[in-house]
């Protein structure tokens, strides 16, 4: 089965509640015709419910940027999967900024992924190597290890709900994007091979894998022309309606059916 391309905007810590709602009102008419592409925005928790409400009659999905693995409890500042249910459809897990600044470990990524699945949320699991690891030739080992750890104990039936995002840390917010060929070799090579070892080839071929890291309208076509890249997880270029819509349009033209 063909993999439907998916473009997700990770807004990180940007946009107030008002700005978030205004943004999606502006976005909807710009992208409504690109039905061959799954479109997702990931606002801050504060704006999540209002954005979901504003998008109720559109095809644009809503994702959270993280979650806790417990359903409830004494975890000041945290948001549980039960709270996201009915509001968000997706949840980003293991973003390198959460790994770096919030000390999210592979084990936590695994717990969060299981919790998300238990509450019918679709995890977007982010993996990627640092500049240091890249220069030391450790990219494949690091990425493969992160995938194995994130998916530990997750059965094959759940893989249809999981999206993986390959985001080399050195490419995030730096303007120094990985070339299409490099992204394709890690996604089509390392990641699909790891998935194949874990779940067999048919499932490895069916999982959608995004590239992320300085994706912009002028380099998007380079990614979408690669056979194994199924879309993008976008930071900076998702914060403006015109650039985010341009990315979706390019995905539609190259891979949307
Ligand atoms: P940029 O697109 O700003 O490089 O961010 C990528 C990212 O971290 C998306 O999750």
């Amino acid at each position: 089965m063909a993999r439907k391309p998916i473009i997700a905007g990770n807004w990180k810590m940007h946009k107030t509640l008002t700005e978030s709602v205004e943004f999606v009102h502006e976005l909807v008419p710009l992208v409504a015709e690109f039905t061959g592409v799954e479109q997702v925005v990931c606002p801050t928790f504060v704006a999540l419910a209002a954005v979901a409400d504003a998008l109720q009659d559109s095809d644009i999905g809503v994702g959270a940027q993280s979650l806790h693995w417990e359903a409830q409890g004494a975890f000041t500042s945290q948001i549980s999967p039960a709270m996201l249910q009915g509001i968000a459809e997706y949840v980003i897990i293991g973003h390198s900024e959460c790994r770096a600044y919030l000390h999210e470990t592979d084990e936590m990524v695994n717990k969060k992924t299981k919790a998300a699945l238990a509450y019918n949320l679709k995890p977007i699991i982010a993996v990627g190597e640092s500049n240091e690891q890249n220069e030391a030739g450790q990219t494949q080992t690091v990425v493969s290890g992160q995938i194995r750890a994130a998916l530990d104990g997750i059965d094959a039936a759940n893989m249809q709900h999981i999206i993986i995002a390959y985001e080399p840390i050195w490419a995030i917010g730096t303007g120094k994007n990985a070339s299409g060929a490099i992204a394709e070799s890690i996604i089509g090579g390392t990641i699909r091979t790891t998935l194949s070892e874990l779940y067999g080839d048919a499932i490895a071929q069916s999982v959608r894998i995004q590239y992320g890291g300085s994706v912009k309208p002028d380099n998007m076509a380079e990614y979408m022309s690669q056979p194994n890249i199924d879309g993008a997880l976008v930071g900076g270029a998702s914060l403006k309606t015109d650039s985010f819509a341009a990315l979706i349009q390019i995905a539609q033209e190259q891979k949307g059916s």
Side-chain angles (χ1 to χ4, degrees), residues 27-242:
L27 181 67
V28 168
L30 298 179
V31 296
E33 69 186 284
F34 306 130
T35 53
V37 178
E38 208 165 322
Q39 310 160 7
V40 182
V41 292
C42 304
T44 62
F45 284 124
V46 174
L48 206 55
V51 165
D53 205 38
L55 290 175
Q56 216 167 26
D57 297 325
S58 84
D59 288 333
I60 303 175
V62 175
Q65 295 179 17
S66 186
L67 83 172
H68 196 277
W69 54 87
E70 296 288 348
Q72 59 181 34
F75 300 101
T76 301
S77 85
Q78 297 298 297
I79 307 286
S80 85
M83 294 166 187
L84 294 175
Q85 211 175 28
I87 300 175
E89 187 181 349
Y90 301 87
V91 57
I92 300 171
I93 298 174
H95 193 281
S96 61
E97 287 150 16
C98 299
R99 294 182 192 253
Y101 307 140
L102 305 174
H103 309 292
E104 195 165 295
T105 62
D106 277 341
E107 193 193 345
M108 288 158 73
V109 170
N110 178 246
K111 282 181 172 174
K112 290 181 177 204
T113 302
K114 286 175 176 160
L117 291 167
Y119 284 84
N120 300 316
L121 299 161
K122 296 176 186 152
I124 300 176
I125 302 173
V127 298
E129 82 286 2
S130 67
N131 191 37
E132 218 174 25
Q133 291 165 330
N134 183 278
E135 285 179 353
Q138 296 166 348
T139 300
Q140 301 195 356
T141 320
V142 169
V143 169
S144 173
Q146 287 174 332
I147 300 271
R148 285 175 184 279
L151 299 177
D152 187 40
I154 289 168
D155 62 22
N158 269 313
M159 290 309 293
Q160 60 183 306
H161 306 301
I162 290 180
I163 293 145
I164 292 171
Y166 170 56
E167 298 206 310
I169 298 168
W170 48 269
I172 295 176
T174 59
K176 193 180 136 193
N177 60 307
S179 70
I182 286 180
E184 167 67 18
S185 82
I186 300 302
I187 289 173
T190 309
I191 298 180
R192 288 207 198 277
T193 303
T194 304
L195 291 175
S196 177
E197 286 163 7
L198 293 172
Y199 298 104
D201 201 44
I203 287 176
Q205 293 304 321
S206 71
V207 174
R208 291 183 294 174
I209 309 176
Q210 302 170 310
Y211 167 77
S214 297
V215 172
K216 303 276 179 303
D218 65 4
N219 59 30
M220 182 65 173
E222 189 183 339
Y223 298 114
M224 293 312 293
S225 62
Q226 307 293 336
N228 281 290
I229 302 181
D230 305 315
L233 182 57
V234 187
S238 76
L239 297 173
K240 294 260 173 0
T241 50
D242 54 354

